[in-house]
Amino acid sequence: MLNITRKVEYALIALRHMQSKNNTDLTSAKEIATKYGIPQQLLAKTLQQMARDGIIKAVQGPAGGYKIAANLKSISLKDFFEKLEGPLGMMDCYFDSECLQITNCNIRIPIQRINDNMRSMFSKMTLQEITQ
Amino acid sequence: MLNITRKVEYALIALRHMQSKNNTDLTSAKEIATKYGIPQQLLAKTLQQMARDGIIKAVQGPAGGYKIAANLKSISLKDFFEKLEGPLGMMDCYFDSECLQITNCNIRIPIQRINDNMRSMFSKMTLQEITQ
DNA sequence: TTATATACGATAAATTTTGTCGTATATAAT
DNA sequence: ATTATATACGACAAAATTTATCGTATATAA
């Protein structure tokens, strides 16, 4: 329970890989996919998403690839997770309230407390800490 | 991402419901299922599991049901989650290491740090806090 | 012009989660 | 004793989510 998704996992692996290189160098999806045994197309999509989000910069064409664009210190894990996977919470009712049991539900408030704790924890950790 | 499962959700609702009653009273699966709109059989199984774990006590026969058996203050959320759903971690490699990428993986250590933070957080919260 | 890279919507496969079925056992009430 | 109602639990099925692939388009260095 409480697993991160492969998408996030692949994204972290990619960031860490890029960070270990000189930041003038570009890294292709293929390079990472091969080295870490990750499905290339899936990784590519994740990289594209991070590029759209401004976390990395994409360069097209042969000899193209990606490199880190943002200051990883300035991106919290919470923001990172939410960029890639949407709202971060233990129950969906934390965000949208289409739960039918909502009038009867007796754990909304307590669950919100846990949620806040968890989000706070991930707000305090930055991408830099993960990838260094 | 990072959602709890329905099983855990149902278990928490049930515990909170029982806690709101006199602890000599028994509560049937049907009563809870009806009140909160939960599939009865699924809830029943969850209650049975909690009974096996000693969190609640089961009484069979007509007019039977369940009541809280353990001191909820003494059960951490981490232990509770793990009783119901098994190991609690952001990546499975934290526990079993059949990951093929394990030799190349570059985020094991950082992920373990997050894991430890998360587990520590849930270790500090007790069932009592949720259900009161 | 070719080869190789990113871009991305659509679809398929796999896995996990959620829910149901069927049957057995316990026990209070009649 | 019989009946009704509760828990117990393995096996199975449905649904939802996650993970992966396909097909096609675009960019650009060689």
Side-chain angles (χ1 to χ4, degrees):
Chain A
M1 205 174 65
L2 301 176
N3 285 271
I4 60 175
T5 61
R6 294 276 184 210
K7 193 157 95 177
V8 168
E9 179 184 334
Y10 297 159
L12 289 173
I13 289 177
L15 284 177
R16 179 125 165 72
H17 181 82
M18 286 187 261
Q19 207 187 28
S20 73
K21 300 168 83 169
N22 195 318
N23 193 39
T24 53
D25 294 352
L26 293 175
T27 306
S28 71
K30 189 178 181 183
E31 174 183 330
I32 298 173
T34 302
K35 173 153 187 186
Y36 299 99
I38 297 172
Q40 180 174 339
Q41 302 238 46
L42 186 53
L43 172 65
K45 288 194 154 188
T46 305
L47 291 167
Q48 285 154 27
Q49 187 174 352
M50 286 199 284
R52 279 195 300 273
D53 289 336
I55 300 172
I56 57 180
K57 173 168 171 30
V59 175
Q60 288 201 330
Y66 304 88
K67 64 176 183 176
I68 291 173
N71 180 358
L72 297 189
K73 268 187 196 160
S74 70
I75 302 175
S76 72
L77 271 192
K78 169 180 151 296
D79 289 344
F80 180 68
F81 288 164
E82 295 204 316
K83 270 178 204 275
L84 291 183
E85 297 288 356
L88 189 72
M90 305 194 60
M91 283 171 68
D92 292 339
C93 64
Y94 189 82
F95 305 101
D96 66 62
S97 304
E98 59 181 62
C99 173
L100 300 173
Q101 305 152 9
I102 210 154
T103 51
N104 275 326
C105 183
N106 61 1
I107 55 168
R108 256 178 81 83
I109 310 294
I111 285 287
Q112 275 192 12
R113 262 203 317 269
I114 318 185
N115 247 349
D116 291 339
N117 278 353
M118 205 173 64
R119 292 168 61 83
S120 157
M121 183 188 104
F122 286 120
S123 291
K124 286 172 190 152
M125 305 178 75
T126 73
L127 263 185
Q128 172 77 9
E129 296 171 49
I130 303 308
T131 53
Q132 78 189 344
Chain B
M1 204 174 64
L2 300 177
N3 286 279
I4 60 175
T5 60
R6 295 278 183 208
K7 193 157 95 178
V8 168
E9 179 184 335
Y10 297 158
L12 289 173
I13 289 176
L15 283 177
R16 180 126 165 72
H17 181 82
M18 286 187 259
Q19 209 187 28
S20 74
K21 301 168 82 169
N22 194 316
N23 193 40
T24 55
D25 293 352
L26 293 176
T27 306
S28 71
K30 190 178 180 182
E31 174 183 331
I32 298 173
T34 302
K35 172 153 189 187
Y36 300 100
I38 297 173
Q40 180 174 339
Q41 302 237 47
L42 186 52
L43 172 65
K45 288 194 155 187
T46 305
L47 291 167
Q48 285 154 28
Q49 186 173 354
M50 284 199 285
R52 279 196 300 273
D53 288 337
I55 299 172
I56 59 181
K57 173 168 171 30
V59 175
Q60 286 200 331
Y66 304 88
K67 63 175 182 175
I68 291 173
N71 179 357
L72 297 189
K73 268 188 195 160
S74 71
I75 302 176
S76 73
L77 272 192
K78 169 180 151 294
D79 289 345
F80 180 68
F81 289 165
E82 296 206 315
K83 271 180 204 275
L84 291 183
E85 297 288 357
L88 188 72
M90 307 193 59
M91 284 171 68
D92 292 340
C93 65
Y94 190 81
F95 304 101
D96 67 61
S97 304
E98 58 181 61
C99 172
L100 299 173
Q101 304 153 9
I102 210 155
T103 50
N104 275 327
C105 183
N106 60 2
I107 56 169
R108 257 177 82 81
I109 309 294
I111 286 287
Q112 274 192 13
R113 262 203 317 268
I114 317 183
N115 247 349
D116 290 340
N117 279 352
M118 205 172 66
R119 292 168 61 83
S120 158
M121 183 190 104
F122 287 119
S123 292
K124 286 172 189 152
M125 307 178 75
T126 73
L127 263 184
Q128 173 78 8
E129 296 172 50
I130 303 310
T131 54
Q132 80 189 341

